mmCIF file with all atom_site columns, all heavy atoms in Angstrom:
data_model
loop_
_atom_site.group_PDB
_atom_site.id
_atom_site.type_symbol
_atom_site.label_atom_id
_atom_site.label_alt_id
_atom_site.label_comp_id
_atom_site.label_asym_id
_atom_site.label_entity_id
_atom_site.label_seq_id
_atom_site.pdbx_PDB_ins_code
_atom_site.Cartn_x
_atom_site.Cartn_y
_atom_site.Cartn_z
_atom_site.occupancy
_atom_site.B_iso_or_equiv
_atom_site.pdbx_formal_charge
_atom_site.auth_seq_id
_atom_site.auth_comp_id
_atom_site.auth_asym_id
_atom_site.auth_atom_id
_atom_site.pdbx_PDB_model_num
ATOM 1   N N   . ALA A 1 833 ? -0.674 -40.991 -1.958 1.00 95.00 ? 837 ALA A N   1
ATOM 2   C CA  . ALA A 1 833 ? -0.566 -41.653 -3.263 1.00 95.00 ? 837 ALA A CA  1
ATOM 3   C C   . ALA A 1 833 ? 0.910  -41.689 -3.786 1.00 95.00 ? 837 ALA A C   1
ATOM 4   O O   . ALA A 1 833 ? 1.227  -42.611 -4.485 1.00 95.00 ? 837 ALA A O   1
ATOM 5   C CB  . ALA A 1 833 ? -1.489 -40.924 -4.259 1.00 95.00 ? 837 ALA A CB  1
ATOM 6   N N   . HIS A 1 834 ? 1.703  -40.704 -3.358 1.00 95.00 ? 838 HIS A N   1
ATOM 7   C CA  . HIS A 1 834 ? 3.029  -40.674 -3.849 1.00 95.00 ? 838 HIS A CA  1
ATOM 8   C C   . HIS A 1 834 ? 4.039  -40.927 -2.747 1.00 95.00 ? 838 HIS A C   1
ATOM 9   O O   . HIS A 1 834 ? 5.193  -40.438 -2.788 1.00 95.00 ? 838 HIS A O   1
ATOM 10  C CB  . HIS A 1 834 ? 3.338  -39.272 -4.502 1.00 95.00 ? 838 HIS A CB  1
ATOM 11  C CG  . HIS A 1 834 ? 2.525  -39.050 -5.691 1.00 95.00 ? 838 HIS A CG  1
ATOM 12  N ND1 . HIS A 1 834 ? 1.208  -38.585 -5.579 1.00 95.00 ? 838 HIS A ND1 1
ATOM 13  C CD2 . HIS A 1 834 ? 2.769  -39.172 -7.036 1.00 95.00 ? 838 HIS A CD2 1
ATOM 14  C CE1 . HIS A 1 834 ? 0.713  -38.455 -6.875 1.00 95.00 ? 838 HIS A CE1 1
ATOM 15  N NE2 . HIS A 1 834 ? 1.661  -38.817 -7.743 1.00 95.00 ? 838 HIS A NE2 1
ATOM 16  N N   . ALA A 1 835 ? 3.605  -41.638 -1.746 1.00 95.00 ? 839 ALA A N   1
ATOM 17  C CA  . ALA A 1 835 ? 4.481  -41.863 -0.559 1.00 95.00 ? 839 ALA A CA  1
ATOM 18  C C   . ALA A 1 835 ? 5.706  -42.642 -0.880 1.00 95.00 ? 839 ALA A C   1
ATOM 19  O O   . ALA A 1 835 ? 6.828  -42.332 -0.503 1.00 95.00 ? 839 ALA A O   1
ATOM 20  C CB  . ALA A 1 835 ? 3.695  -42.649 0.481  1.00 95.00 ? 839 ALA A CB  1
ATOM 21  N N   . LYS A 1 836 ? 5.608  -43.751 -1.685 1.00 94.00 ? 840 LYS A N   1
ATOM 22  C CA  . LYS A 1 836 ? 6.749  -44.525 -2.127 1.00 94.00 ? 840 LYS A CA  1
ATOM 23  C C   . LYS A 1 836 ? 7.759  -43.691 -2.910 1.00 94.00 ? 840 LYS A C   1
ATOM 24  O O   . LYS A 1 836 ? 9.019  -43.790 -2.757 1.00 94.00 ? 840 LYS A O   1
ATOM 25  C CB  . LYS A 1 836 ? 6.310  -45.718 -2.907 1.00 94.00 ? 840 LYS A CB  1
ATOM 26  C CG  . LYS A 1 836 ? 5.657  -46.766 -1.990 1.00 94.00 ? 840 LYS A CG  1
ATOM 27  C CD  . LYS A 1 836 ? 5.341  -48.050 -2.869 1.00 94.00 ? 840 LYS A CD  1
ATOM 28  C CE  . LYS A 1 836 ? 4.712  -49.081 -1.952 1.00 94.00 ? 840 LYS A CE  1
ATOM 29  N NZ  . LYS A 1 836 ? 4.373  -50.332 -2.748 1.00 94.00 ? 840 LYS A NZ  1
ATOM 30  N N   . GLU A 1 837 ? 7.216  -42.828 -3.808 1.00 93.00 ? 841 GLU A N   1
ATOM 31  C CA  . GLU A 1 837 ? 8.085  -41.973 -4.656 1.00 93.00 ? 841 GLU A CA  1
ATOM 32  C C   . GLU A 1 837 ? 8.928  -41.066 -3.842 1.00 93.00 ? 841 GLU A C   1
ATOM 33  O O   . GLU A 1 837 ? 10.090 -40.855 -4.160 1.00 93.00 ? 841 GLU A O   1
ATOM 34  C CB  . GLU A 1 837 ? 7.164  -41.184 -5.596 1.00 93.00 ? 841 GLU A CB  1
ATOM 35  C CG  . GLU A 1 837 ? 7.925  -40.276 -6.543 1.00 93.00 ? 841 GLU A CG  1
ATOM 36  C CD  . GLU A 1 837 ? 6.923  -39.469 -7.393 1.00 93.00 ? 841 GLU A CD  1
ATOM 37  O OE1 . GLU A 1 837 ? 5.756  -39.828 -7.469 1.00 93.00 ? 841 GLU A OE1 1
ATOM 38  O OE2 . GLU A 1 837 ? 7.370  -38.427 -7.953 1.00 93.00 ? 841 GLU A OE2 1
ATOM 39  N N   . TYR A 1 838 ? 8.407  -40.498 -2.764 1.00 95.00 ? 842 TYR A N   1
ATOM 40  C CA  . TYR A 1 838 ? 9.139  -39.525 -1.973 1.00 95.00 ? 842 TYR A CA  1
ATOM 41  C C   . TYR A 1 838 ? 9.811  -40.132 -0.646 1.00 95.00 ? 842 TYR A C   1
ATOM 42  O O   . TYR A 1 838 ? 10.348 -39.417 0.096  1.00 95.00 ? 842 TYR A O   1
ATOM 43  C CB  . TYR A 1 838 ? 8.259  -38.295 -1.626 1.00 95.00 ? 842 TYR A CB  1
ATOM 44  C CG  . TYR A 1 838 ? 7.918  -37.549 -2.867 1.00 95.00 ? 842 TYR A CG  1
ATOM 45  C CD1 . TYR A 1 838 ? 6.612  -37.523 -3.325 1.00 95.00 ? 842 TYR A CD1 1
ATOM 46  C CD2 . TYR A 1 838 ? 8.819  -36.818 -3.561 1.00 95.00 ? 842 TYR A CD2 1
ATOM 47  C CE1 . TYR A 1 838 ? 6.206  -36.812 -4.391 1.00 95.00 ? 842 TYR A CE1 1
ATOM 48  C CE2 . TYR A 1 838 ? 8.493  -36.021 -4.696 1.00 95.00 ? 842 TYR A CE2 1
ATOM 49  C CZ  . TYR A 1 838 ? 7.146  -36.065 -5.137 1.00 95.00 ? 842 TYR A CZ  1
ATOM 50  O OH  . TYR A 1 838 ? 6.810  -35.331 -6.236 1.00 95.00 ? 842 TYR A OH  1
ATOM 51  N N   . GLY A 1 839 ? 9.483  -41.346 -0.364 1.00 96.00 ? 843 GLY A N   1
ATOM 52  C CA  . GLY A 1 839 ? 9.978  -42.014 0.850  1.00 96.00 ? 843 GLY A CA  1
ATOM 53  C C   . GLY A 1 839 ? 9.181  -41.510 2.078  1.00 96.00 ? 843 GLY A C   1
ATOM 54  O O   . GLY A 1 839 ? 9.751  -41.270 3.133  1.00 96.00 ? 843 GLY A O   1
ATOM 55  N N   . LEU A 1 840 ? 7.829  -41.472 1.964  1.00 97.00 ? 844 LEU A N   1
ATOM 56  C CA  . LEU A 1 840 ? 7.003  -41.013 3.071  1.00 97.00 ? 844 LEU A CA  1
ATOM 57  C C   . LEU A 1 840 ? 6.249  -42.178 3.737  1.00 97.00 ? 844 LEU A C   1
ATOM 58  O O   . LEU A 1 840 ? 6.055  -43.199 3.066  1.00 97.00 ? 844 LEU A O   1
ATOM 59  C CB  . LEU A 1 840 ? 6.001  -40.019 2.565  1.00 97.00 ? 844 LEU A CB  1
ATOM 60  C CG  . LEU A 1 840 ? 6.585  -38.863 1.679  1.00 97.00 ? 844 LEU A CG  1
ATOM 61  C CD1 . LEU A 1 840 ? 5.401  -37.923 1.178  1.00 97.00 ? 844 LEU A CD1 1
ATOM 62  C CD2 . LEU A 1 840 ? 7.575  -38.052 2.473  1.00 97.00 ? 844 LEU A CD2 1
ATOM 63  N N   . ASP A 1 841 ? 5.949  -42.055 4.970  1.00 96.00 ? 845 ASP A N   1
ATOM 64  C CA  . ASP A 1 841 ? 5.164  -43.062 5.693  1.00 96.00 ? 845 ASP A CA  1
ATOM 65  C C   . ASP A 1 841 ? 3.691  -42.568 5.702  1.00 96.00 ? 845 ASP A C   1
ATOM 66  O O   . ASP A 1 841 ? 3.351  -41.668 6.459  1.00 96.00 ? 845 ASP A O   1
ATOM 67  C CB  . ASP A 1 841 ? 5.676  -43.218 7.077  1.00 96.00 ? 845 ASP A CB  1
ATOM 68  C CG  . ASP A 1 841 ? 5.033  -44.409 7.813  1.00 96.00 ? 845 ASP A CG  1
ATOM 69  O OD1 . ASP A 1 841 ? 3.923  -44.856 7.404  1.00 96.00 ? 845 ASP A OD1 1
ATOM 70  O OD2 . ASP A 1 841 ? 5.538  -44.776 8.908  1.00 96.00 ? 845 ASP A OD2 1
ATOM 71  N N   . PRO A 1 842 ? 2.873  -43.193 4.941  1.00 96.00 ? 846 PRO A N   1
ATOM 72  C CA  . PRO A 1 842 ? 1.430  -42.734 4.862  1.00 96.00 ? 846 PRO A CA  1
ATOM 73  C C   . PRO A 1 842 ? 0.658  -42.939 6.131  1.00 96.00 ? 846 PRO A C   1
ATOM 74  O O   . PRO A 1 842 ? -0.391 -42.328 6.370  1.00 96.00 ? 846 PRO A O   1
ATOM 75  C CB  . PRO A 1 842 ? 0.869  -43.578 3.691  1.00 96.00 ? 846 PRO A CB  1
ATOM 76  C CG  . PRO A 1 842 ? 1.683  -44.793 3.639  1.00 96.00 ? 846 PRO A CG  1
ATOM 77  C CD  . PRO A 1 842 ? 3.074  -44.370 4.037  1.00 96.00 ? 846 PRO A CD  1
ATOM 78  N N   . GLU A 1 843 ? 1.148  -43.801 6.984  1.00 96.00 ? 847 GLU A N   1
ATOM 79  C CA  . GLU A 1 843 ? 0.482  -44.036 8.234  1.00 96.00 ? 847 GLU A CA  1
ATOM 80  C C   . GLU A 1 843 ? 0.877  -43.086 9.366  1.00 96.00 ? 847 GLU A C   1
ATOM 81  O O   . GLU A 1 843 ? 0.319  -43.152 10.476 1.00 96.00 ? 847 GLU A O   1
ATOM 82  C CB  . GLU A 1 843 ? 0.710  -45.500 8.668  1.00 96.00 ? 847 GLU A CB  1
ATOM 83  C CG  . GLU A 1 843 ? 0.247  -46.564 7.690  1.00 96.00 ? 847 GLU A CG  1
ATOM 84  C CD  . GLU A 1 843 ? -1.198 -46.468 7.319  1.00 96.00 ? 847 GLU A CD  1
ATOM 85  O OE1 . GLU A 1 843 ? -2.004 -46.116 8.301  1.00 96.00 ? 847 GLU A OE1 1
ATOM 86  O OE2 . GLU A 1 843 ? -1.594 -46.552 6.168  1.00 96.00 ? 847 GLU A OE2 1
ATOM 87  N N   . ARG A 1 844 ? 1.882  -42.319 9.164  1.00 97.00 ? 848 ARG A N   1
ATOM 88  C CA  . ARG A 1 844 ? 2.382  -41.398 10.194 1.00 97.00 ? 848 ARG A CA  1
ATOM 89  C C   . ARG A 1 844 ? 2.383  -39.961 9.690  1.00 97.00 ? 848 ARG A C   1
ATOM 90  O O   . ARG A 1 844 ? 3.476  -39.293 9.580  1.00 97.00 ? 848 ARG A O   1
ATOM 91  C CB  . ARG A 1 844 ? 3.735  -41.804 10.711 1.00 97.00 ? 848 ARG A CB  1
ATOM 92  C CG  . ARG A 1 844 ? 3.742  -43.059 11.436 1.00 97.00 ? 848 ARG A CG  1
ATOM 93  C CD  . ARG A 1 844 ? 5.068  -43.343 12.147 1.00 97.00 ? 848 ARG A CD  1
ATOM 94  N NE  . ARG A 1 844 ? 6.153  -43.485 11.209 1.00 97.00 ? 848 ARG A NE  1
ATOM 95  C CZ  . ARG A 1 844 ? 7.469  -43.348 11.567 1.00 97.00 ? 848 ARG A CZ  1
ATOM 96  N NH1 . ARG A 1 844 ? 7.810  -43.052 12.787 1.00 97.00 ? 848 ARG A NH1 1
ATOM 97  N NH2 . ARG A 1 844 ? 8.381  -43.506 10.641 1.00 97.00 ? 848 ARG A NH2 1
ATOM 98  N N   . MET A 1 845 ? 1.243  -39.504 9.270  1.00 97.00 ? 849 MET A N   1
ATOM 99  C CA  . MET A 1 845 ? 1.139  -38.118 8.753  1.00 97.00 ? 849 MET A CA  1
ATOM 100 C C   . MET A 1 845 ? 0.494  -37.244 9.874  1.00 97.00 ? 849 MET A C   1
ATOM 101 O O   . MET A 1 845 ? -0.469 -37.711 10.547 1.00 97.00 ? 849 MET A O   1
ATOM 102 C CB  . MET A 1 845 ? 0.336  -38.047 7.518  1.00 97.00 ? 849 MET A CB  1
ATOM 103 C CG  . MET A 1 845 ? 1.064  -38.659 6.369  1.00 97.00 ? 849 MET A CG  1
ATOM 104 S SD  . MET A 1 845 ? 0.345  -38.159 4.764  1.00 97.00 ? 849 MET A SD  1
ATOM 105 C CE  . MET A 1 845 ? 1.669  -38.843 3.651  1.00 97.00 ? 849 MET A CE  1
ATOM 106 N N   . VAL A 1 846 ? 1.063  -36.074 10.079 1.00 97.00 ? 850 VAL A N   1
ATOM 107 C CA  . VAL A 1 846 ? 0.622  -35.127 11.129 1.00 97.00 ? 850 VAL A CA  1
ATOM 108 C C   . VAL A 1 846 ? 0.181  -33.818 10.532 1.00 97.00 ? 850 VAL A C   1
ATOM 109 O O   . VAL A 1 846 ? 0.985  -33.241 9.751  1.00 97.00 ? 850 VAL A O   1
ATOM 110 C CB  . VAL A 1 846 ? 1.721  -34.951 12.144 1.00 97.00 ? 850 VAL A CB  1
ATOM 111 C CG1 . VAL A 1 846 ? 1.302  -33.926 13.235 1.00 97.00 ? 850 VAL A CG1 1
ATOM 112 C CG2 . VAL A 1 846 ? 2.205  -36.229 12.745 1.00 97.00 ? 850 VAL A CG2 1
ATOM 113 N N   . SER A 1 847 ? -0.971 -33.358 10.795 1.00 98.00 ? 851 SER A N   1
ATOM 114 C CA  . SER A 1 847 ? -1.408 -31.991 10.339 1.00 98.00 ? 851 SER A CA  1
ATOM 115 C C   . SER A 1 847 ? -0.955 -31.024 11.434 1.00 98.00 ? 851 SER A C   1
ATOM 116 O O   . SER A 1 847 ? -1.118 -31.262 12.632 1.00 98.00 ? 851 SER A O   1
ATOM 117 C CB  . SER A 1 847 ? -2.888 -31.949 10.104 1.00 98.00 ? 851 SER A CB  1
ATOM 118 O OG  . SER A 1 847 ? -3.593 -32.225 11.279 1.00 98.00 ? 851 SER A OG  1
ATOM 119 N N   . ILE A 1 848 ? -0.413 -29.827 11.045 1.00 98.00 ? 852 ILE A N   1
ATOM 120 C CA  . ILE A 1 848 ? 0.088  -28.852 11.995 1.00 98.00 ? 852 ILE A CA  1
ATOM 121 C C   . ILE A 1 848 ? -0.059 -27.492 11.383 1.00 98.00 ? 852 ILE A C   1
ATOM 122 O O   . ILE A 1 848 ? 0.140  -27.311 10.122 1.00 98.00 ? 852 ILE A O   1
ATOM 123 C CB  . ILE A 1 848 ? 1.496  -29.182 12.378 1.00 98.00 ? 852 ILE A CB  1
ATOM 124 C CG1 . ILE A 1 848 ? 1.981  -28.272 13.537 1.00 98.00 ? 852 ILE A CG1 1
ATOM 125 C CG2 . ILE A 1 848 ? 2.459  -29.054 11.167 1.00 98.00 ? 852 ILE A CG2 1
ATOM 126 C CD1 . ILE A 1 848 ? 3.307  -28.734 14.115 1.00 98.00 ? 852 ILE A CD1 1
ATOM 127 N N   . GLY A 1 849 ? -0.438 -26.488 12.168 1.00 96.00 ? 853 GLY A N   1
ATOM 128 C CA  . GLY A 1 849 ? -0.573 -25.130 11.678 1.00 96.00 ? 853 GLY A CA  1
ATOM 129 C C   . GLY A 1 849 ? -1.061 -24.172 12.767 1.00 96.00 ? 853 GLY A C   1
ATOM 130 O O   . GLY A 1 849 ? -1.492 -24.618 13.823 1.00 96.00 ? 853 GLY A O   1
ATOM 131 N N   . GLY A 1 850 ? -0.945 -22.851 12.462 1.00 96.00 ? 854 GLY A N   1
ATOM 132 C CA  . GLY A 1 850 ? -1.334 -21.860 13.407 1.00 96.00 ? 854 GLY A CA  1
ATOM 133 C C   . GLY A 1 850 ? -2.417 -20.899 12.809 1.00 96.00 ? 854 GLY A C   1
ATOM 134 O O   . GLY A 1 850 ? -2.411 -20.696 11.618 1.00 96.00 ? 854 GLY A O   1
ATOM 135 N N   . SER A 1 851 ? -3.277 -20.394 13.698 1.00 95.00 ? 855 SER A N   1
ATOM 136 C CA  . SER A 1 851 ? -4.314 -19.445 13.291 1.00 95.00 ? 855 SER A CA  1
ATOM 137 C C   . SER A 1 851 ? -5.267 -20.119 12.308 1.00 95.00 ? 855 SER A C   1
ATOM 138 O O   . SER A 1 851 ? -5.763 -21.185 12.646 1.00 95.00 ? 855 SER A O   1
ATOM 139 C CB  . SER A 1 851 ? -3.676 -18.173 12.785 1.00 95.00 ? 855 SER A CB  1
ATOM 140 O OG  . SER A 1 851 ? -4.623 -17.126 12.671 1.00 95.00 ? 855 SER A OG  1
ATOM 141 N N   . ALA A 1 852 ? -5.434 -19.501 11.121 1.00 96.00 ? 856 ALA A N   1
ATOM 142 C CA  . ALA A 1 852 ? -6.311 -20.219 10.132 1.00 96.00 ? 856 ALA A CA  1
ATOM 143 C C   . ALA A 1 852 ? -5.787 -21.571 9.797  1.00 96.00 ? 856 ALA A C   1
ATOM 144 O O   . ALA A 1 852 ? -6.513 -22.554 9.626  1.00 96.00 ? 856 ALA A O   1
ATOM 145 C CB  . ALA A 1 852 ? -6.415 -19.336 8.847  1.00 96.00 ? 856 ALA A CB  1
ATOM 146 N N   . GLY A 1 853 ? -4.391 -21.658 9.771  1.00 97.00 ? 857 GLY A N   1
ATOM 147 C CA  . GLY A 1 853 ? -3.849 -22.999 9.552  1.00 97.00 ? 857 GLY A CA  1
ATOM 148 C C   . GLY A 1 853 ? -4.120 -24.010 10.674 1.00 97.00 ? 857 GLY A C   1
ATOM 149 O O   . GLY A 1 853 ? -4.137 -25.162 10.427 1.00 97.00 ? 857 GLY A O   1
ATOM 150 N N   . GLY A 1 854 ? -4.278 -23.416 11.925 1.00 97.00 ? 858 GLY A N   1
ATOM 151 C CA  . GLY A 1 854 ? -4.669 -24.308 12.977 1.00 97.00 ? 858 GLY A CA  1
ATOM 152 C C   . GLY A 1 854 ? -6.109 -24.855 12.820 1.00 97.00 ? 858 GLY A C   1
ATOM 153 O O   . GLY A 1 854 ? -6.343 -26.008 13.128 1.00 97.00 ? 858 GLY A O   1
#
Side-chain angles (χ1 to χ4, degrees):
H838 295 82
K840 289 185 178 180
E841 178 182 345
Y842 294 111
L844 311 178
D845 187 342
E847 301 303 319
R848 292 192 295 162
M849 292 196 169
V850 177
S851 60
I852 189 167
S855 195

